[in-house]
Amino acid sequence: MGRWGVISRRHRAAVVPDETFEALVFDWDGTAVPDRQADADAVRDRIEALCAAGVHVFAVSGTHVENIDGQLKARPQGPGRLYLCCNRGSEVFEVTGKGPALVARRTASTEEDRALDRAGEGTVERLQARGLEAKVVSQRLNRRKIDLIPLRAWADPKKSEIALLAEAVTARLASAGIADLAEVVALADDAARAGGLVDPRITSDVKHVEIGLTDKSDSARFAASWLAERGVTGRLVLIGGDELGPVGGVPGSDSLMLVDTLARATVVSVGIEP
C-alpha cells in the first residue's frame, strides 16, 4: 500500500484526503511533470517506491512512449505494476526492470487512416474558408493534429503559459469570426464525420485541435478493467490531472479520464506554479 504525495516541488500541492490508495491514474504533462524538459528524478523515485510498496501506477499521456520513458526512466521491480498509457489511448506499455514492453495497441485500418487524412484536410479547408490559417502538423498514431496558431511566438508553449495561449488563440479565432474553441471542435467533428469517421474523438490543448480514433478515456478504461480484475476499485484508486475542467472553453483532455468505471475514485486537480 502507498500514499499519494506531491510528486514535483514545482507544482502547487493538491489537497488530498488522508486515505490510502492501491492505484494511481494520472496525466503526465502538466501533472507529473511541468513540461517535457523538466527533471523527473523525484517523480521516478516516488513511482519506483510506490511500485515497491505494491501500488499500481498508470501514467496517461497524449505523447508517445519514447517521450515519457525517456524523461521518467523508471525501472520498477514490483510487486506494484507501472503502465504507460500513450498516444491518447492508442497504446499501453508495461514497464519493468527491462524497460517498456507493448501490451495493447489500437491499430487503424487502411480506410480509417485515409479517413483521418480526409478529416484533417477537411478541417483545415473549413478553417481557411473562414479566414483562419491552420495546418496539419503531425500524423501521429491514430490521429491528426492541426495547429490553430502556427506562429513562431507560440511554436512550443509551456503549460504555465496556457492562460496567455488561450487569450492569443481566442483573439485569433475572433478575427476570423469564430466564437471559441468549442466552435472549432464542432467544425472538426463535422469534417471528421464527412471524411468517413463514425466515432471521431476530438480534443484540444488550446494550440491544436486533434482528430483521433481514441482518447484518454480509452487509457482510463484499460486501467479500470485491469484493476477491477484484481479487486482494486472505488476509492482505492486516485486520479490526478491538470486539465480536469474546461480549457479554452472546451472540456480539458484529462476530464476524459473520469470514466464511469472509475466513478467512485478520488480525484485531485494539480496546478503548476507560474
Side-chain angles (χ1 to χ4, degrees):
M1 303 286 243
R3 197 176 298 279
W4 176 269
V6 182
I7 58 176
S8 171
R9 291 185 180 180
R10 292 181 61 187
H11 289 63
R12 295 193 299 269
V15 177
V16 182
D18 186 20
E19 297 178 7
T20 299
F21 302 97
E22 294 189 12
L24 309 181
V25 180
F26 58 87
D27 168 61
W28 182 249
D29 294 314
T31 301
V33 292
D35 55 60
R36 292 176 192 169
Q37 289 71 49
D39 185 336
D41 287 356
V43 182
R44 178 176 65 251
D45 291 346
R46 180 61 58 86
I47 287 176
E48 289 181 346
L50 287 168
C51 290
V55 178
H56 305 302
V57 178
F58 298 79
V60 178
S61 178
T63 192
H64 51 80
V65 67
E66 289 82 3
N67 277 345
I68 305 178
D69 185 62
Q71 186 174 15
L72 178 58
K73 300 182 177 70
R75 296 294 181 264
Q77 301 300 314
R81 310 277 277 275
L82 170 61
Y83 287 94
L84 305 181
C85 304
C86 307
N87 272 312
R88 292 203 186 281
S90 284
E91 292 182 320
V92 180
F93 294 81
E94 181 180 3
V95 183
T96 66
K98 297 181 179 180
L102 181 70
V103 297
R105 173 181 286 151
R106 167 71 158 89
T107 301
S109 67
T110 300
E111 181 50 38
E112 284 175 325
D113 262 331
R114 290 173 178 165
L116 284 169
D117 287 338
R118 292 192 294 267
E121 293 164 1
T123 299
V124 169
E125 290 172 0
R126 284 165 167 76
L127 291 171
Q128 289 178 340
R130 300 284 294 273
L132 183 76
E133 179 190 359
K135 60 181 181 179
V136 178
V137 294
S138 68
Q139 296 188 3
R140 296 185 178 180
L141 180 65
N142 298 335
R143 56 199 168 102
R144 302 295 180 264
K145 191 171 185 177
I146 300 159
D147 194 347
L148 300 177
I149 187 166
L151 304 176
R152 180 174 296 181
W154 293 107
D156 188 22
K158 296 180 179 179
K159 279 278 190 173
S160 58
E161 299 174 323
I162 194 166
L164 293 175
L165 173 62
E167 290 178 6
V169 171
T170 298
R172 184 175 172 82
L173 296 178
S175 69
I178 300 174
D180 51 24
L181 273 174
E183 187 173 346
V184 177
V185 168
L187 182 151
D189 184 78
D190 182 66
R193 294 179 187 279
L197 292 178
V198 177
D199 179 26
R201 308 292 183 85
I202 315 297
T203 58
S204 176
D205 62 0
V206 180
K207 177 175 170 60
H208 307 97
V209 63
E210 294 192 38
I211 304 169
L213 304 180
T214 59
D215 57 33
K216 289 183 179 180
S217 68
D218 296 280
S219 298
R221 289 194 174 92
F222 171 87
S225 176
W226 189 93
L227 291 169
E229 289 175 0
R230 290 154 181 82
V232 182
T233 60
R235 294 193 176 276
L236 295 175
V237 181
L238 180 69
I239 300 173
D242 68 301
E243 295 182 6
L244 293 167
V247 178
V250 299
S253 64
D254 295 345
S255 68
L256 298 171
M257 296 191 297
L258 307 181
V259 296
D260 52 356
T261 44
L262 291 174
R264 295 176 56 223
T266 298
V267 180
V268 295
S269 180
V270 177
I272 304 173
E273 293 180 353

